[in-house]
Amino acid sequence: MSDTPQGEINAETTGNAAEGGAKDFIRTFIDEDLATGRYTHVHTRFPPEPNGYLHIGHAKSICLNFGIAGDYQGKCNLRFDDTNPAKEETEYVDSIKDDIRWLGFDWGESEFYASDYFDQLFDWAKQLIGKGLAYVDSLSPDEIRAHRGTPTEAGRNSPFRDRTVEENISMFEAMRAGEYPDGAHVLRAKIDMAHPNINMRDPTMYRIRRAHHHRTGDTWCIYPTYDWAHGQSDSIEGITHSICTLEFENHRPLYDWFLEKLEVYRPRQIEFARLNLSYTLMSKRRLLELVKEGHVSGWDDPRMPTICGLRRRGFTPQALRAFARGIGVAKRDSMIDVAFLEFCLREDLNTAAERRMLVLNPLKVVLTNYPEQQEEWFEADNNPEDAAAGHRKIPFSRELYIEQDDFMEDPPKKYFRLSPGKEIRLKHAYYITCDEVIKDAAGNVVELRCSYDPESRGGGTPDGRKVKGTSHWVSAAHAVDSEVRLYDRLFSVEDPADTAEGQDWRDLINKDSCEVLTGCKAEPALAQAAPETVFQFLRQGYFVADRRDHTPEHPVFNRAVGLRDTWAKVQKNG
RNA sequence: UGGGGCGUCGGCAAGUGGUAAGCCACCAGGUUUUGGUCCUGGCAUGCGCAGGUUCGAAUCCUGCCGCCCCAGCCA
């Protein structure tokens, strides 16, 4: 698949035809809108609030919005919903842009901010006041809440609801001018305090808040609420299809009300279910806590479901896009099995990642019949799934390391790796037979004495005899010591968001989610790996040279995902 | 007891009145110099439940049941 994200129509961006799949309900709506002439083109937007790092749930939305723009030869804007200066920071806007670009999408010149529209929004607010559709309320937050009513009881009008247009205008101007302390007044839409939809019970449009805004600095002391800003921002940008998550469905009548009263262009809002992934959390608040409380090393900790975390873990943009395409889009709440995410990565990397050999837990092997000073170099294919990946040289010598798991002194029936008297193949090299087991005082196996068959050079013999097992190995003299980080799911339960009464979600964190191995033995070519290069370590899994810590002097690899392990399954099922 | 949504295989998800796609997971075989990949086969007489309409219903009607969202001057 190409890396071209936008504008180009192909199987990857359409996510249907080529796979024989059906269109999701959003694209079906768009088809209808185009057919009926409700809209003549397609223009979407991805509207993050810069108050945290993007996670895989955002990736779903990004792929959806940019993907649709691509499918319909339309455009997709990037718009930062920065209406709450208390929580937003430039660090976040930068990380968001990095992540979207890395995912493979390009918004061109279409980078906007809700704060670009503060002046327009202010004028529109006055317009509504002028129409008698908005008023300055001087109730305290508690009083406003008390007046709002409950889902089953109507609210009550604020005593300030009937201020004159003149008074409202002058007070609103005074709010902006900084003549009142924070929280003294708010501007509210005048709709219906008895409305069955609580969002329509005179929602707040502006609040007084002296906070430094990451873009407008201190020029404003009143800020629009999201509800007041969002629909108009879409309208200003000429968005045709405003795609958002389910929780905003209740707000749609409000957005439509504002647009209707303002008599401006109206986009169509379509809601879909947000992504939930098993064994992790998606709430920004929780992710922030994980970082701030030090449960993880940062936003890009390889166990985090953030885009930068997945990137550091070894995920590829291709795998993430395939994942987004594969899970579909619908309105029902769902929980995606993390196994599907892992599948998407393996599927991409099986053809994309070059193979290398690295021994995680080394066990020394001495080939007693191999000449002491001899050394030879075997040629190994970099990827059996891709001839174009070429070959590399691997050194072989008398002393080697194999995986501790690849030897058992007293093996069960179906074990076909090395054991006393048994013969296996060393990948790309020779057949070896285990002749003697050396143990330390405590009885631990510390070394194997084996003999090799010179006839088996390359991995086969003239007599054509078969060996059941093939192990990876590394020449001891040439091995490069490496650090390998084995990651596992961050939480020990499928749905950590679903905590029982009195239970702290922190207790659900998987204490064994990161195992650091040192002294792993890597084939020499691995020291040269550039950071972020992903490899398949033969028979083990996909590993990436850590983006931050990997150097030729101190190689560090993160396990992105293990290979499917049928042997482990056989053992487990007895 | 209000309003808005949603209920199709263990997990996703097509299906829009004509007799239940596909993917993941799982199971059983085959190939294999990775117990990987790949290939083959299996996996919902059933679509939340109960009635009804119809020659025919996951699709239409009625009534139940269950789950999610909404009472921020968060987004």
Side-chain angles (χ1 to χ4, degrees), chain A residues 544-557:
Chain A
V544 64
D546 190 78
R547 201 182 162 192
R548 298 189 181 285
D549 305 332
H550 175 86
T551 63
E553 298 71 36
H554 182 71
V556 178
F557 299 99

Side-chain angles (χ1 to χ4, degrees), chain A residues 351 354 381-391:
Chain A
T351 52
E354 291 196 357
D381 50 1
N382 284 327
N383 187 346
E385 305 297 319
D386 177 16
H391 302 264

Side-chain angles (χ1 to χ4, degrees), chain A residues 514-543:
Chain A
C514 177
E515 184 185 353
V516 178
L517 262 34
T518 54
C520 301
K521 305 296 182 181
E523 63 170 90
L526 245 15
Q528 265 37 265
E532 289 208 83
T533 311
V534 189
F535 298 99
Q536 180 195 105
F537 287 168
L538 235 52
R539 304 205 305 133
Q540 294 181 141
Y542 296 98
F543 294 74

Side-chain angles (χ1 to χ4, degrees), chain A residues 284-305:
Chain A
K284 272 195 187 180
R285 195 160 93 87
R286 289 274 182 271
L287 297 181
L288 215 206
E289 288 170 331
L290 281 169
V291 173
K292 290 263 183 329
E293 295 173 14
H295 298 108
V296 295
S297 65
W299 286 99
D300 70 347
D301 182 295
R303 293 164 294 182
M304 290 283 274

Side-chain angles (χ1 to χ4, degrees), chain A residues 195-214:
Chain A
H195 198 107
N197 179 342
I198 293 178
N199 294 306
M200 300 297 271
R201 320 241 263 227
D202 292 9
T204 302
M205 295 163 63
Y206 275 94
R207 66 279 217 189
I208 302 173
R209 180 118 90 211
R210 285 170 179 76
H212 189 82
H213 188 280
H214 73 113

Side-chain angles (χ1 to χ4, degrees), chain A residues 201-271:
Chain A
R201 320 241 263 227
D202 292 9
T204 302
M205 295 163 63
Y206 275 94
R207 66 279 217 189
I208 302 173
R209 180 118 90 211
R210 285 170 179 76
H212 189 82
H213 188 280
H214 73 113
R215 295 189 81 238
T216 61
D218 299 313
T219 71
W220 292 86
C221 65
I222 60 171
Y223 290 94
T225 58
Y226 173 87
D227 276 350
W228 168 243
H230 195 80
Q232 283 78 271
S233 298
D234 281 342
S235 178
I236 290 167
E237 294 175 21
I239 299 305
T240 56
H241 299 273
S242 178
I243 299 164
C244 62
T245 43
L246 254 27
E247 66 270 27
F248 294 106
E249 200 152 19
N250 292 332
H251 296 242
R252 193 170 67 215
L254 208 214
Y255 302 159
D256 285 340
W257 187 88
F258 283 138
L259 265 14
E260 182 197 320
K261 300 305 179 191
L262 255 17
E263 297 177 71
V264 296
Y265 166 79
R266 271 169 75 167
R268 200 237 272 216
Q269 175 171 307
I270 302 171
E271 308 84 7

